[in-house]
Amino acid sequence: YVSRSLFNGDRLTFGMHMARHLLPPGAISGEEWNYFLGKPSVDASAAQGAPRPSWVGDEQAAGFALLAANFPQLVQSLALEDGNTWGPWATGNAAARGSEAGAGAVDTGALPPRAASKATAFQALLLVRAFRPDRLQTAMTQFVTQALNVRSIAPPPFSLKHLIEAESSPAQPVLFITTPGADPSQELADYAATTIGREKYHEVAMGQGQADIALSLLRDCARSGEWLCLKNLHLAVSWLPVLEKEVYTLNKSPAFRLFLTSEPHAKFPSTLLEQSLKITFEAPPGLKKNLQRTYEGWSNEFVAAGPPLRAQLLFVLAWFHAVVQERRNYIPQGWSKFYEFSFADLRSGADVVSLGVSRDGKAAAWQLLHGLLENAIYGGRVDNAQDAKVLRTYLHQLFNPEVVGLGGARVRALPGSKIVVPTSAHRADYVQVIAALPDADSPALFSLPDNIDRAAQQTNGERVVASLKAMALAQHAAGGFNRAQWQAQLGPLLRLWDQLMSQAGPIKAAAKELRAAGRVSHAGGPSGGGAGGGPVDSFVALERSHAVALVEAVNATLAGIGRVLRGTETLTSGVQAAGAALLADRIPSTWDALWDTGPESPTDYVRAVVARALAVEQWWAKSQAGNLLTSGPLDLSSLFRPGTFLNALRQQTARAVKVPLDALKLATCWDMGRLGGNAGGNAIQVGGLLVQGAVFDGQRLTPVSADSPTSRAVPAMGLAWVPKDAPLPYAAHIATPLYATPDRAHVLAEVQMPVTGSGDDVAALTLSGLALFLGA
């Protein structure tokens, strides 16, 4: 009953919330719950004495250290040092699962049978979050269904007949909460026609000037016992209090029914929402359902209004529209962000298709189609260069002569499928092709890698955790200063900072040195202070000053909060603002001004600040020794501003080879000999990189398997700025984005990775979401 009033994406969050509160006391400790939400009470540094098991990879090391620091007894009782038990589980190895759980077993993230009895159901979730985040969504779903003793978190299949006949009443409106592209009114109208008659069913699409008409119909229908559907109430939220009052004061016939439809809106009256019978109505997911919705809106006459080539291109457009929409389910690998591709884009695209077909129906203006669809319609919504490249690749793959068999060209199936576009102008032929599509989408339909489900599960799992954290914060939100609340919620962060600073001797020494030299400005960050060398050495000196300034800014904020909590200082507006931000799990503005690309969680943020500040000290030592660029692979993830470092290296190279900055281009390879001597001795190696979308061994890119992890380490990459007229290391290559973090929010550079195949291989890799990231 409750589940059907929630969108599919919110049901797991609600289930986790309910399970936590309905389980017996003690089933989930407060420490375990906070750890699950990313707020551990003990920092990973407390587990430095715990040896890392051999099966724990570099990407899992931080998770193990944090788990061992907070739950040492659990780690010991589960014998996590046993690589034979835990190694196959951590990698999701299918063969190993077959030996333990039967051949063909699905990887759900469930603990190995030998360990499952030694941990509670929620403790198993903690392990999945630490070591198998790619199965967190599945593990949470199983936890909820077992804890609540339900078969599924999804409601039973929706039946409009049952809803109206068994549940609805004249006194209670039926509210359909919809998403764009989903409209229950047609199904409602059809059902009304077969029961009470079409003449007794009325609809009003709310908008400007419809309020009086809606009220008049409401009164008439309530009196006569007819049905009324008021659509799109989110467009008239200011009028809803009037509707609410009218609904509850009317005398209603027993046969009267009121139906409402609305997209979610923050100002929708809560009382009307609470009193209504609520059902979410979402557009069914999947390529097949998307195409069916499109052709439901296209009549036989519309499809046939032109030569067969127009009908073919309309089908290609519908396919393209469905692919770019459904690809949004795989953010950030499918798209870097959610783009509002809408029915209006499809309608405009159909107009462009009509313009792009010659009168005799024997030719298409491909350049016109590509240009308008990319630049004026769909591409107008895309603001990421790599996403624009993906869109362009789709357009060139789909809108070309081979797809529609034009001009004697070899007919090619639609990418990722065996579907060949029909050659007629009959709508029924295209509907038949759509009906034959599978209900479940495979990654190949979107040209995404076979392990994309792992990446999607990890993203969805983290979204659920973030929602649970937001709910917990909302429960404790209170205006003004509450000492007990601040102590309870900020105490763990203050203790964590004390632990971090107890091991930050090099940072304290650097702060003392810089303060003596007058190179730290707490108000605006670093005040300068070059090292007297080239641009790279100057950058390292500035980065060091910046790191110290950030550490001291964090320390000043947390120390001020600590003094207020101890009662040794009065509350100031600055401390109150910072405390309020931290209570809301946000980064205070004084920190964000110094480092606005850091983690969003204050706990992760302060850990990252100290870790990077310590790493910058190592960079400083190598810079002072004069061997920074030749000391081995550099880990750019240890810098606060890695992009600025690349610019400094460019400046240093420009001076060395005596050319302007804009006369240089970035060259990358995995064989330093390929860079030659064009960089003036400023070629470097970059280590700690991860790849997503393919496997790379330093020589060739290969496809991933369904069992592959979401990202893999790659060998150290050679990097240099070379003159623009110099040849790149690889004649055949794919330009690949290098991102600062896996969320693909900040692009550092575009690098070259070698390819051995044709342009089709480059297109496949582009659509796979191929990207490099700096390691955590």
Side-chain angles (χ1 to χ4, degrees), residues 16 39 82 128 163-164 197 219 273 300 378 427 499 540 564 637 673 687 700 706 731 740:
M16 286 292 296
K39 300 187 293 183
D82 183 0
V128 172
L163 174 72
I164 294 176
R219 293 164 184 156
L273 191 65
N300 294 329
Y378 289 89
R427 177 178 176 274
Q499 293 173 10
V540 174
V564 169
S637 70
R700 61 193 300 263

PDB file of all heavy atoms in Angstrom, residues 16 39 82 128 163-164 197 219 273 300 378 427 499 540 564 637 673 687 700 706 731 740:
ATOM      1  N   MET A  16      14.764   0.468   3.735  1.00  0.00           N
ATOM      2  CA  MET A  16      15.876   0.473   4.697  1.00  0.00           C
ATOM      3  C   MET A  16      15.478   1.241   5.959  1.00  0.00           C
ATOM      4  O   MET A  16      15.803   0.830   7.082  1.00  0.00           O
ATOM      5  CB  MET A  16      17.107   1.101   4.066  1.00  0.00           C
ATOM      6  CG  MET A  16      17.816   0.224   3.048  1.00  0.00           C
ATOM      7  SD  MET A  16      18.606  -1.233   3.768  1.00  0.00           S
ATOM      8  CE  MET A  16      19.844  -0.452   4.805  1.00  0.00           C
ATOM      9  N   LYS A  39      29.617   7.696   8.578  1.00  0.00           N
ATOM     10  CA  LYS A  39      30.022   8.514   9.717  1.00  0.00           C
ATOM     11  C   LYS A  39      30.615   7.614  10.812  1.00  0.00           C
ATOM     12  O   LYS A  39      30.047   7.488  11.899  1.00  0.00           O
ATOM     13  CB  LYS A  39      28.833   9.314  10.253  1.00  0.00           C
ATOM     14  CG  LYS A  39      28.221  10.271   9.239  1.00  0.00           C
ATOM     15  CD  LYS A  39      27.160  11.157   9.862  1.00  0.00           C
ATOM     16  CE  LYS A  39      25.952  10.368  10.290  1.00  0.00           C
ATOM     17  NZ  LYS A  39      24.877  11.242  10.837  1.00  0.00           N
ATOM     18  N   ASP A  82      41.626 -14.910   5.641  1.00  0.00           N
ATOM     19  CA  ASP A  82      41.546 -16.136   4.844  1.00  0.00           C
ATOM     20  C   ASP A  82      41.230 -15.795   3.388  1.00  0.00           C
ATOM     21  O   ASP A  82      40.078 -15.598   3.008  1.00  0.00           O
ATOM     22  CB  ASP A  82      40.461 -17.056   5.425  1.00  0.00           C
ATOM     23  CG  ASP A  82      40.368 -18.386   4.682  1.00  0.00           C
ATOM     24  OD1 ASP A  82      41.144 -18.587   3.730  1.00  0.00           O
ATOM     25  OD2 ASP A  82      39.507 -19.208   5.056  1.00  0.00           O
ATOM     26  N   VAL A 128      29.635  -5.668   2.564  1.00  0.00           N
ATOM     27  CA  VAL A 128      29.356  -5.416   1.154  1.00  0.00           C
ATOM     28  C   VAL A 128      29.688  -3.973   0.799  1.00  0.00           C
ATOM     29  O   VAL A 128      30.296  -3.689  -0.246  1.00  0.00           O
ATOM     30  CB  VAL A 128      27.880  -5.718   0.828  1.00  0.00           C
ATOM     31  CG1 VAL A 128      27.536  -5.261  -0.589  1.00  0.00           C
ATOM     32  CG2 VAL A 128      27.598  -7.201   0.976  1.00  0.00           C
ATOM     33  N   LEU A 163      -8.468  -0.810  -8.155  1.00  0.00           N
ATOM     34  CA  LEU A 163      -8.352   0.454  -7.433  1.00  0.00           C
ATOM     35  C   LEU A 163      -9.711   1.156  -7.347  1.00  0.00           C
ATOM     36  O   LEU A 163     -10.123   1.612  -6.271  1.00  0.00           O
ATOM     37  CB  LEU A 163      -7.335   1.363  -8.131  1.00  0.00           C
ATOM     38  CG  LEU A 163      -7.213   2.787  -7.577  1.00  0.00           C
ATOM     39  CD1 LEU A 163      -6.512   2.773  -6.229  1.00  0.00           C
ATOM     40  CD2 LEU A 163      -6.489   3.690  -8.556  1.00  0.00           C
ATOM     41  N   ILE A 164     -10.414   1.228  -8.467  1.00  0.00           N
ATOM     42  CA  ILE A 164     -11.673   1.967  -8.496  1.00  0.00           C
ATOM     43  C   ILE A 164     -12.780   1.198  -7.786  1.00  0.00           C
ATOM     44  O   ILE A 164     -13.538   1.759  -6.986  1.00  0.00           O
ATOM     45  CB  ILE A 164     -12.059   2.281  -9.948  1.00  0.00           C
ATOM     46  CG1 ILE A 164     -11.037   3.266 -10.551  1.00  0.00           C
ATOM     47  CG2 ILE A 164     -13.466   2.870 -10.021  1.00  0.00           C
ATOM     48  CD1 ILE A 164     -11.268   3.568 -12.014  1.00  0.00           C
ATOM     49  N   GLY A 197     -19.676   4.956 -18.919  1.00  0.00           N
ATOM     50  CA  GLY A 197     -19.967   5.618 -20.185  1.00  0.00           C
ATOM     51  C   GLY A 197     -19.104   6.849 -20.385  1.00  0.00           C
ATOM     52  O   GLY A 197     -18.842   7.606 -19.447  1.00  0.00           O
ATOM     53  N   ARG A 219     -18.302  20.620  -9.017  1.00  0.00           N
ATOM     54  CA  ARG A 219     -19.606  20.718  -8.335  1.00  0.00           C
ATOM     55  C   ARG A 219     -20.677  19.918  -9.081  1.00  0.00           C
ATOM     56  O   ARG A 219     -21.482  19.210  -8.465  1.00  0.00           O
ATOM     57  CB  ARG A 219     -20.020  22.177  -8.211  1.00  0.00           C
ATOM     58  CG  ARG A 219     -19.123  22.982  -7.265  1.00  0.00           C
ATOM     59  CD  ARG A 219     -19.300  24.469  -7.457  1.00  0.00           C
ATOM     60  NE  ARG A 219     -18.365  25.226  -6.616  1.00  0.00           N
ATOM     61  CZ  ARG A 219     -17.960  26.457  -6.887  1.00  0.00           C
ATOM     62  NH1 ARG A 219     -18.397  27.073  -7.989  1.00  0.00           N
ATOM     63  NH2 ARG A 219     -17.119  27.074  -6.078  1.00  0.00           N
ATOM     64  N   LEU A 273      -2.447  15.946   0.046  1.00  0.00           N
ATOM     65  CA  LEU A 273      -1.638  14.759  -0.248  1.00  0.00           C
ATOM     66  C   LEU A 273      -1.958  13.626   0.732  1.00  0.00           C
ATOM     67  O   LEU A 273      -2.143  12.470   0.346  1.00  0.00           O
ATOM     68  CB  LEU A 273      -0.159  15.130  -0.164  1.00  0.00           C
ATOM     69  CG  LEU A 273       0.870  14.118  -0.682  1.00  0.00           C
ATOM     70  CD1 LEU A 273       0.720  13.920  -2.179  1.00  0.00           C
ATOM     71  CD2 LEU A 273       2.275  14.590  -0.353  1.00  0.00           C
ATOM     72  N   ASN A 300      -1.290   6.190 -37.777  1.00  0.00           N
ATOM     73  CA  ASN A 300      -0.985   5.575 -39.070  1.00  0.00           C
ATOM     74  C   ASN A 300      -0.780   6.637 -40.139  1.00  0.00           C
ATOM     75  O   ASN A 300       0.112   6.530 -40.982  1.00  0.00           O
ATOM     76  CB  ASN A 300      -2.141   4.643 -39.478  1.00  0.00           C
ATOM     77  CG  ASN A 300      -2.283   3.457 -38.552  1.00  0.00           C
ATOM     78  OD1 ASN A 300      -1.285   2.980 -37.998  1.00  0.00           O
ATOM     79  ND2 ASN A 300      -3.509   2.971 -38.380  1.00  0.00           N
ATOM     80  N   TYR A 378      18.822  17.923 -29.629  1.00  0.00           N
ATOM     81  CA  TYR A 378      19.332  17.111 -28.514  1.00  0.00           C
ATOM     82  C   TYR A 378      20.643  17.663 -27.953  1.00  0.00           C
ATOM     83  O   TYR A 378      20.818  17.770 -26.746  1.00  0.00           O
ATOM     84  CB  TYR A 378      19.533  15.662 -28.964  1.00  0.00           C
ATOM     85  CG  TYR A 378      18.227  14.930 -29.184  1.00  0.00           C
ATOM     86  CD1 TYR A 378      17.592  14.954 -30.427  1.00  0.00           C
ATOM     87  CD2 TYR A 378      17.619  14.234 -28.151  1.00  0.00           C
ATOM     88  CE1 TYR A 378      16.393  14.297 -30.636  1.00  0.00           C
ATOM     89  CE2 TYR A 378      16.412  13.564 -28.345  1.00  0.00           C
ATOM     90  CZ  TYR A 378      15.803  13.603 -29.591  1.00  0.00           C
ATOM     91  OH  TYR A 378      14.612  12.953 -29.779  1.00  0.00           O
ATOM     92  N   ARG A 427       2.806   1.879 -40.445  1.00  0.00           N
ATOM     93  CA  ARG A 427       3.078   1.925 -39.006  1.00  0.00           C
ATOM     94  C   ARG A 427       3.078   0.534 -38.387  1.00  0.00           C
ATOM     95  O   ARG A 427       3.889   0.227 -37.504  1.00  0.00           O
ATOM     96  CB  ARG A 427       2.037   2.808 -38.320  1.00  0.00           C
ATOM     97  CG  ARG A 427       2.147   2.889 -36.804  1.00  0.00           C
ATOM     98  CD  ARG A 427       1.090   3.831 -36.227  1.00  0.00           C
ATOM     99  NE  ARG A 427       1.109   3.855 -34.776  1.00  0.00           N
ATOM    100  CZ  ARG A 427       0.455   2.982 -34.008  1.00  0.00           C
ATOM    101  NH1 ARG A 427      -0.280   2.017 -34.595  1.00  0.00           N
ATOM    102  NH2 ARG A 427       0.509   3.061 -32.702  1.00  0.00           N
ATOM    103  N   GLN A 499      42.451  12.834  16.037  1.00  0.00           N
ATOM    104  CA  GLN A 499      43.253  11.669  15.642  1.00  0.00           C
ATOM    105  C   GLN A 499      44.118  11.991  14.428  1.00  0.00           C
ATOM    106  O   GLN A 499      45.301  11.629  14.374  1.00  0.00           O
ATOM    107  CB  GLN A 499      42.338  10.488  15.326  1.00  0.00           C
ATOM    108  CG  GLN A 499      41.592   9.918  16.518  1.00  0.00           C
ATOM    109  CD  GLN A 499      40.578   8.873  16.097  1.00  0.00           C
ATOM    110  OE1 GLN A 499      40.556   8.440  14.953  1.00  0.00           O
ATOM    111  NE2 GLN A 499      39.715   8.469  17.031  1.00  0.00           N
ATOM    112  N   VAL A 540      54.603  23.704  -6.598  1.00  0.00           N
ATOM    113  CA  VAL A 540      54.679  22.858  -5.406  1.00  0.00           C
ATOM    114  C   VAL A 540      54.746  23.720  -4.150  1.00  0.00           C
ATOM    115  O   VAL A 540      54.108  23.420  -3.130  1.00  0.00           O
ATOM    116  CB  VAL A 540      55.877  21.897  -5.498  1.00  0.00           C
ATOM    117  CG1 VAL A 540      56.039  21.112  -4.192  1.00  0.00           C
ATOM    118  CG2 VAL A 540      55.706  20.933  -6.661  1.00  0.00           C
ATOM    119  N   VAL A 564      33.428  26.144  22.190  1.00  0.00           N
ATOM    120  CA  VAL A 564      32.039  26.501  22.504  1.00  0.00           C
ATOM    121  C   VAL A 564      31.354  25.354  23.238  1.00  0.00           C
ATOM    122  O   VAL A 564      30.627  25.558  24.223  1.00  0.00           O
ATOM    123  CB  VAL A 564      31.272  26.864  21.210  1.00  0.00           C
ATOM    124  CG1 VAL A 564      29.774  26.970  21.483  1.00  0.00           C
ATOM    125  CG2 VAL A 564      31.785  28.178  20.631  1.00  0.00           C
ATOM    126  N   SER A 637      46.469  12.427  -7.708  1.00  0.00           N
ATOM    127  CA  SER A 637      45.352  12.463  -6.765  1.00  0.00           C
ATOM    128  C   SER A 637      45.783  12.951  -5.389  1.00  0.00           C
ATOM    129  O   SER A 637      44.939  13.222  -4.538  1.00  0.00           O
ATOM    130  CB  SER A 637      44.716  11.076  -6.634  1.00  0.00           C
ATOM    131  OG  SER A 637      45.581  10.178  -5.967  1.00  0.00           O
ATOM    132  N   GLY A 673      59.693   6.010 -24.287  1.00  0.00           N
ATOM    133  CA  GLY A 673      60.527   6.236 -25.461  1.00  0.00           C
ATOM    134  C   GLY A 673      59.770   6.874 -26.608  1.00  0.00           C
ATOM    135  O   GLY A 673      60.377   7.530 -27.466  1.00  0.00           O
ATOM    136  N   GLY A 687      51.125   7.954 -12.177  1.00  0.00           N
ATOM    137  CA  GLY A 687      50.677   6.672 -11.662  1.00  0.00           C
ATOM    138  C   GLY A 687      49.352   6.777 -10.938  1.00  0.00           C
ATOM    139  O   GLY A 687      48.763   7.857 -10.802  1.00  0.00           O
ATOM    140  N   ARG A 700      47.086  -2.443 -25.249  1.00  0.00           N
ATOM    141  CA  ARG A 700      45.841  -2.477 -26.014  1.00  0.00           C
ATOM    142  C   ARG A 700      44.629  -2.463 -25.086  1.00  0.00           C
ATOM    143  O   ARG A 700      44.689  -2.915 -23.941  1.00  0.00           O
ATOM    144  CB  ARG A 700      45.801  -3.696 -26.936  1.00  0.00           C
ATOM    145  CG  ARG A 700      45.872  -5.025 -26.226  1.00  0.00           C
ATOM    146  CD  ARG A 700      46.161  -6.156 -27.230  1.00  0.00           C
ATOM    147  NE  ARG A 700      45.130  -6.248 -28.238  1.00  0.00           N
ATOM    148  CZ  ARG A 700      44.108  -7.103 -28.172  1.00  0.00           C
ATOM    149  NH1 ARG A 700      43.986  -7.909 -27.125  1.00  0.00           N
ATOM    150  NH2 ARG A 700      43.216  -7.154 -29.133  1.00  0.00           N
ATOM    151  N   ALA A 706      31.307  -9.373 -17.795  1.00  0.00           N
ATOM    152  CA  ALA A 706      30.266  -9.051 -16.825  1.00  0.00           C
ATOM    153  C   ALA A 706      30.784  -9.145 -15.398  1.00  0.00           C
ATOM    154  O   ALA A 706      30.259  -8.484 -14.501  1.00  0.00           O
ATOM    155  CB  ALA A 706      29.068  -9.983 -17.014  1.00  0.00           C
ATOM    156  N   ALA A 731      49.825   6.790 -33.672  1.00  0.00           N
ATOM    157  CA  ALA A 731      49.138   7.262 -34.871  1.00  0.00           C
ATOM    158  C   ALA A 731      47.650   6.923 -34.790  1.00  0.00           C
ATOM    159  O   ALA A 731      46.797   7.723 -35.177  1.00  0.00           O
ATOM    160  CB  ALA A 731      49.768   6.624 -36.108  1.00  0.00           C
ATOM    161  N   ALA A 740      39.172  13.895 -12.561  1.00  0.00           N
ATOM    162  CA  ALA A 740      39.764  13.964 -11.224  1.00  0.00           C
ATOM    163  C   ALA A 740      39.152  12.918 -10.300  1.00  0.00           C
ATOM    164  O   ALA A 740      39.835  12.371  -9.434  1.00  0.00           O
ATOM    165  CB  ALA A 740      39.593  15.358 -10.638  1.00  0.00           C
TER     166      ALA A 740
END
